[in-house]
Amino acid sequence: MKPTIYDVAKEAGVSIATVSNVINNNGRVGEKTRQKVLKTMEQLEYSPSVVASALTGKKTNTVGLLIPDISNPFFADIARSIEDRGNELGISVIICSTDNLEEKEKKYISLLIRKSVDGFILASGVKSLDLLEEVMEKKIPVALIANDIPSLPITTVTIDDFKGGYIGTKHLLSLNHTKIAMIAEHAWSNIQRINGYKQALLEQNVEPKEEYFIKTEATIERGKQAGLQLLNLEEPPSAIFACNDLLAIGAIEAARELGFDLPNDLSVIGFDNTVLCRLTVPKLTSVSQPIHDMGKKVFDMLLDSDFTNQKTLFMPELVVRESSGKYTDTV
């Protein structure tokens, strides 16, 4: 395997940013450090990739970031982590919010190409696959975060969404819940989370009920509507697993409106572990994604990519708070 910028930084005992500055002859790097990095590059027979050259000095030093909704704390955190990493490396990030609309997606991608951005990071659902393939054909670096398109050879940074759905459901099962509903959004990641949910149920011989599944848009209001629908069933669930924190907060609002006491009458858990989890009443149990590490990694992979299909998978963790509790059948 050919050496990467990570290998050079580790061997030389410096940061990736320092190696990048030496490669591009910018930034304040002492002569002793510069020579040490150059010597390490020579020893490791490291050559900066075509993409790295494009991203850090031969073009515009800008990267386009497409996210579906900047008002969603999860995507705001992604944007912040990517922008912070860009600042460390001297690369500007242009952030575009697509609202999951294909028209806006096409508009922004076309605009950013005209502005000669040196690469794209996509956190949106990517509805314009033809346009994305066109971008890749132009040899413009592309990387995905919190999303994947298995049909395309594209660099991705994701978490194990299947495991996230699995551990969240196992937590509820451990609290004696068997009537567990799921509110999901229309996204590739949610398909994997649903599969993990189903696997955990089947391992406990619990048959998933069709009426306990709702797919909707990722907003608090849609989460509330879904919660009201579930809690008004003839046999309502005792727990709701929402595939993001916004939907979970909506479900909590629905429960409160109907007079449910959390977590005594109903448990609710979310996904993403955003700052909102600590602001809800009760505080929200949620499956955590290491957003900061994921944002840094996707930027570094884009920087060092050689247009190959690189996949990085992070592991989710469950953060237990007050919104999930033991189920006691009082009937």
Side-chain angles (χ1 to χ4, degrees):
M1 182 180 295
K2 70 177 184 177
T4 68
I5 193 172
Y6 303 104
D7 300 321
V8 175
K10 182 178 180 180
E11 185 67 23
V14 298
S15 68
I16 295 173
T18 298
V19 177
S20 176
N21 286 333
V22 170
I23 291 170
N24 297 284
N25 197 29
N26 58 29
R28 295 182 178 179
V29 180
E31 186 58 28
K32 184 176 180 181
T33 300
R34 184 182 301 278
Q35 292 302 321
K36 183 177 182 180
V37 171
L38 291 172
K39 183 177 180 181
T40 302
M41 290 170 60
E42 183 179 353
Q43 290 173 341
L44 296 179
E45 298 182 348
Y46 170 77
S47 326
S49 70
V50 174
V51 176
S53 298
L55 280 172
T56 57
K58 293 191 176 180
K59 289 191 178 179
T60 60
N61 283 334
T62 57
V63 168
L65 169 63
L66 268 65
I67 57 176
D69 184 5
I70 192 65
S71 66
N72 184 328
F74 173 69
F75 291 110
D77 286 348
I78 283 180
R80 180 58 186 266
S81 67
I82 290 173
E83 186 179 37
D84 285 349
R85 187 56 174 165
N87 285 334
E88 290 176 7
L89 300 177
I91 299 169
S92 299
V93 179
I94 302 174
I95 302 171
C96 303
S97 187
T98 68
D99 296 321
N100 277 319
L101 297 175
E102 185 172 1
E103 182 180 343
K104 292 185 73 172
E105 190 177 274
K106 288 180 177 179
K107 171 187 171 183
Y108 284 133
I109 290 176
S110 299
L111 175 65
L112 293 171
I113 290 175
R114 290 198 300 273
K115 288 186 174 295
S116 300
V117 296
D118 304 316
F120 285 93
I121 298 174
L122 307 179
S124 62
V126 190
K127 298 181 182 297
S128 310
L129 289 184
D130 291 342
L131 184 56
L132 181 57
E133 289 176 336
E134 182 182 330
V135 170
M136 296 171 68
E137 288 172 3
K138 291 177 182 292
K139 301 300 181 184
I140 301 174
V142 180
L144 304 181
I145 182 170
N147 187 32
D148 193 9
I149 305 175
S151 61
L152 292 180
I154 192 167
T155 296
T156 64
V157 173
T158 60
I159 67 157
D160 189 332
D161 287 291
F162 178 93
K163 183 176 181 181
Y166 181 84
I167 63 175
T169 308
K170 288 286 284 187
H171 168 66
L172 293 171
L173 288 165
S174 73
L175 296 173
N176 295 334
H177 293 280
T178 55
K179 296 182 289 185
I180 303 171
M182 175 164 271
I183 307 173
E185 59 177 304
H186 303 282
W188 174 87
S189 60
N190 281 219
I191 295 173
Q192 305 303 315
R193 294 171 193 179
I194 291 170
N195 289 339
Y197 157 87
K198 289 181 177 179
Q199 179 65 32
L201 289 181
L202 293 175
E203 286 181 3
Q204 295 296 316
N205 297 315
V206 177
E207 186 69 29
K209 293 185 176 182
E210 185 176 346
E211 62 267 32
Y212 283 176
F213 284 96
I214 295 179
K215 278 192 175 183
T216 187
E217 283 73 41
T219 67
I220 292 176
E221 183 57 36
R222 291 302 180 92
K224 181 178 180 180
Q225 292 173 8
L228 290 171
Q229 180 179 328
L230 289 167
L231 296 175
N232 278 308
L233 289 172
E234 185 175 340
E235 186 179 355
S238 65
I240 295 176
F241 187 173
C243 282
N244 66 53
D245 292 338
L246 294 180
L247 293 173
I249 291 169
I252 289 175
E253 288 189 357
R256 186 176 294 119
E257 184 173 300
L258 294 175
F260 284 77
D261 177 42
L262 274 68
N264 296 319
D265 301 328
L266 177 75
S267 287
V268 177
I269 67 173
F271 207 111
D272 294 335
N273 193 37
T274 61
V275 64
L276 296 178
C277 296
R278 296 186 293 275
L279 303 177
T280 62
V281 179
K283 292 181 174 62
L284 182 64
T285 295
S286 186
V287 178
S288 177
Q289 302 197 52
I291 298 173
H292 177 77
D293 292 339
M294 291 169 67
K296 178 179 177 181
K297 183 66 174 179
V298 76
F299 205 108
D300 290 348
M301 288 176 73
L302 185 76
L303 184 73
D304 201 50
S305 170
D306 213 2
F307 304 112
T308 56
N309 180 12
Q310 301 182 50
K311 309 286 184 183
T312 297
L313 191 68
F314 284 85
M315 290 296 111
E317 294 182 1
L318 182 69
V319 179
V320 179
R321 296 190 179 92
E322 301 163 359
S323 67
S324 55
K326 206 169 191 65
Y327 174 68
T328 302
D329 191 348
T330 58
V331 178

